[in-house]
Amino acid sequence: MDLHNLTLVQVRDLLDNQQITSRQLTDYYLKRLEKYDSYIHSCLFIDYAEARRVADLADERLARGERGGVLGIPYIVKDNILTKGLKTTAGSKMLADYVAPYDATVISRLKQAGAVLVAKANLDEFALGSSTENSAFGPTHNPYNLSMVPGGSSGGSAAALAADFCTFALGSDTGGSVRHPASLCGVVGYRPSYGAISRHGLVAMASSLDAIGILAHSATDVATIMGVIAGPDKYDATASLVLEAPTRVSQTINWTNIKIGWPAEYFGPGLDSEVADNLSQIKNLLLDKGATILPVNLPLTSYGVSAYTVINMAEVSSNLARFDGLRYGHQTGGSNLLETYLNNRGNGFGAEAKRRIMLGTYFLSAGEGGSYYKKAQIVRAMISREFKEIFTQVDYLFTPTTPTAAFPLGAKVNDPLSLYLEDSLLTPASLAHLPAVSIPIGWTSANLPIGGQIIGKRRDDYKVLTLAQAIQDIIDLPSQSLTWETN
Ligand code: GLN
């Protein structure tokens, strides 16, 4: 049976109808990882024996008549999400040998539902980056062109899914880290409304922005996974949203009721012409279907990256303060306490973490707090208000996910500002705590994926996913071959 690039819905049917076992499916992915991940470097740790053991347990449950959800479905998780008994490095030398004593809530919920954890995925150190080149363990390559970046910071998760090493993957999205690599790797990447998915057991980066997100082949798949992992959690006071989940994302949509805003500021200078052309084709498809598309303005969009950068660095500097190597983590040691701190942190953290610790500390310092952090919070509130007003006129916004397709490895490593600007179309929804999803909408002439972003009102996650699936259905994007793959 050809198991290539199956969606969760397809795998579910095969498992429930006993056409394959979870063990066979798990072996299919494990063999591909073993054979091909040397090209991609999407994963840091692969737990072959445990994955097979859990798959066998899922098969026993299936044999007893259990069905549905994620039972028996193999997945990969970004390595900043804690997994009991399996390393969690956050892509940093600081945590190179760290094994968490407990599972993140998302992991324990998936475990209970019978999903099969196959591997931990590579990422930018502490999720700081947009290319997965900031990993202490080497970069990940884009499966569609090995000399290109996969995007980031959840680049390992997106690349693993695009390379067909799992049925779905988890990542984290602070300022775009799920949507960005999803766009560059041609998969669906969803950031929930802030508070919809527990972050207990996610290595904290910038707490007022962090969200755990889902990468899958279809928006319907994302909704199924949401059904398992979303919802309040006593271990995370911010996980307070209860979203009303449909039993299944609706297969039909009444296009004449769909009102989509097309924000001019997301189509400004810097947008690649192939990406822009692709977006206009999508617009025509939507108009043909009968959707209403309104040109709208979000003039504060260009302030998103600045506000995000200040808030992000301030919060990163405070969250990373806990890593000093004294109780756990990297230890170089020293002859006195100060030297020990300096050595442990100096050798444990990479360049981007240090840059943000220093700038963030400055932004929060007594003399500067008012001019940076507070100002950025005011801009953030204004951006949220701007979205709120637009959402009285339209129900969704459609935008490019990134201004360009994947760029070459190494092209931006020495230019942090140009990397920060990669997120220019992604940070506004993060700042405003809105749900947003990137879906694959086309290919460039060089066969690289192009992504489109749908942003919705807070709590409208399932509506956003329903529209995303409907758009995926009308585009019906052809797949491209992976050149490194041989049979
Ligand atoms: N690229 C952004 C940053 O480096 C976003 C990272 C993220 O969402 N984790 O801050």
Side-chain angles (χ1 to χ4, degrees):
M1 183 177 302
D2 184 12
L3 299 178
H4 244 83
N5 275 331
L6 295 179
T7 63
L8 195 156
V9 171
Q10 291 168 322
V11 164
R12 182 75 273 144
D13 283 346
L14 293 176
L15 287 170
D16 287 351
N17 297 326
Q18 293 173 302
Q19 285 164 285
I20 50 165
T21 62
S22 172
R23 177 61 183 265
Q24 284 165 340
L25 187 63
T26 302
D27 276 335
Y28 164 77
Y29 290 129
L30 287 175
K31 279 188 192 135
R32 287 184 61 84
L33 269 163
E34 195 170 19
K35 191 164 168 194
Y36 298 126
D37 202 34
S38 51
Y39 297 116
I40 316 280
H41 190 45
S42 65
C43 290
L44 298 174
F45 315 106
I46 305 167
D47 198 343
Y48 293 91
E50 179 64 8
R52 292 191 169 113
R53 189 186 72 82
V54 173
D56 288 342
L57 289 177
D59 283 328
E60 284 171 24
R61 286 169 68 173
L62 282 156
R64 286 199 298 269
E66 262 190 71
R67 293 288 180 265
V70 291
L71 179 59
I73 308 238
Y75 74 103
I76 285 175
V77 62
K78 186 177 184 176
D79 202 29
N80 61 350
I81 295 178
L82 303 190
T83 46
K84 189 176 175 178
L86 193 59
K87 274 193 202 178
T88 299
T89 66
S92 178
K93 189 174 160 192
M94 181 60 89
L95 293 178
D97 298 312
Y98 180 67
V99 180
Y102 63 94
D103 279 324
T105 295
V106 288
I107 300 293
S108 55
R109 288 183 182 171
L110 286 168
K111 228 179 222 180
Q112 240 171 12
V116 180
L117 174 62
V118 166
K120 301 292 297 279
N122 199 13
L123 69 159
D124 286 299
E125 179 176 18
F126 288 106
L128 312 168
S130 300
S131 65
T132 316
E133 293 169 290
N134 290 339
S135 168
F137 308 107
T140 295
H141 299 249
N142 191 309
Y144 288 105
N145 182 332
L146 298 178
S147 61
M148 300 283 173
V149 301
S153 63
S154 312
S157 303
L161 181 63
D164 201 23
F165 296 156
C166 54
T167 309
F168 71 93
L170 296 183
S172 65
D173 187 310
T174 302
S177 276
V178 163
R179 291 163 285 159
H180 187 275
S183 172
L184 271 50
C185 291
V187 297
V188 175
Y190 156 75
R191 172 192 170 91
S193 291
Y194 186 84
I197 299 179
S198 164
R199 302 173 304 174
H200 175 63
L202 169 70
V203 178
M205 177 206 190
S207 304
S208 76
L209 295 154
D210 290 343
I212 287 181
I214 300 166
L215 298 111
H217 289 300
S218 78
T220 305
D221 288 1
V222 169
T224 303
I225 299 151
M226 273 299 275
V228 177
I229 64 174
D233 175 18
K234 68 176 176 190
Y235 296 118
D236 177 1
T238 65
S240 56
L241 276 196
V242 181
L243 302 174
E244 241 171 78
T247 41
R248 200 183 166 106
V249 169
S250 154
Q251 297 298 304
T252 52
I253 194 163
N254 186 352
W255 286 103
T256 49
N257 286 342
I258 300 288
K259 259 194 190 172
I260 303 172
W262 215 258
E265 291 74 8
Y266 283 72
F267 295 81
L271 186 65
D272 177 80
S273 61
E274 277 191 296
V275 175
D277 287 350
N278 194 241
L279 266 285
S280 346
Q281 285 170 25
I282 304 298
K283 189 183 197 174
N284 290 334
L285 280 178
L286 294 171
L287 287 170
D288 281 352
K289 283 281 167 192
T292 305
I293 297 193
L294 281 186
V296 294
N297 284 100
L298 291 160
L300 295 174
T301 303
S302 62
Y303 296 98
V305 169
S306 314
Y308 169 83
T309 302
V310 171
I311 294 168
N312 175 278
M313 291 185 178
E315 295 183 14
V316 166
S317 74
S318 102
N319 271 325
L320 296 192
R322 76 194 63 176
F323 300 108
D324 54 21
L326 295 189
R327 291 179 193 79
Y328 60 92
H330 176 81
Q331 286 186 340
T332 301
S335 55
N336 57 47
L337 188 60
L338 181 63
E339 202 181 288
T340 303
Y341 275 128
L342 292 175
N343 287 345
N344 290 357
R345 286 170 66 81
N347 294 324
F349 285 129
E352 185 59 28
K354 287 180 190 164
R355 180 179 298 119
R356 296 198 198 191
I357 290 168
M358 285 189 280
L359 285 166
T361 305
Y362 177 72
F363 293 149
L364 290 176
S365 58
E368 302 298 342
S371 44
Y372 290 102
Y373 193 66
K374 279 190 201 138
K375 221 184 239 177
Q377 292 290 19
I378 291 169
V379 175
R380 176 183 201 166
M382 290 166 71
I383 289 175
S384 300
R385 208 173 314 132
E386 192 170 83
F387 274 119
K388 223 174 190 167
E389 275 160 25
I390 284 295
F391 282 133
T392 60
Q393 299 168 39
V394 295
D395 296 317
Y396 311 91
L397 295 163
F398 199 93
T399 80
T401 307
T402 50
T404 66
F407 49 90
L409 281 155
K412 300 190 179 188
V413 272
N414 295 319
D415 187 358
L417 189 59
S418 80
L419 266 183
Y420 299 163
L421 290 171
E422 273 295 309
D423 299 320
S424 54
L425 312 180
L426 302 170
T427 51
S430 290
L431 288 164
H433 285 177
L434 303 176
V437 62
S438 176
I439 56 170
I441 58 166
W443 298 96
T444 67
S445 48
N447 286 338
L448 290 169
I450 300 174
Q453 176 180 226
I454 303 160
I455 305 173
K457 294 178 198 168
R458 186 158 156 77
R459 295 172 180 272
D460 269 1
D461 297 53
Y462 286 104
K463 272 179 74 175
V464 167
L465 292 171
T466 302
L467 178 63
Q469 184 61 58
I471 298 178
Q472 280 196 283
D473 291 343
I474 56 171
I475 298 177
D476 197 19
L477 202 64
S479 57
Q480 302 274 340
S481 59
L482 300 162
T483 49
W484 39 268
E485 201 176 51
T486 51
N487 286 315

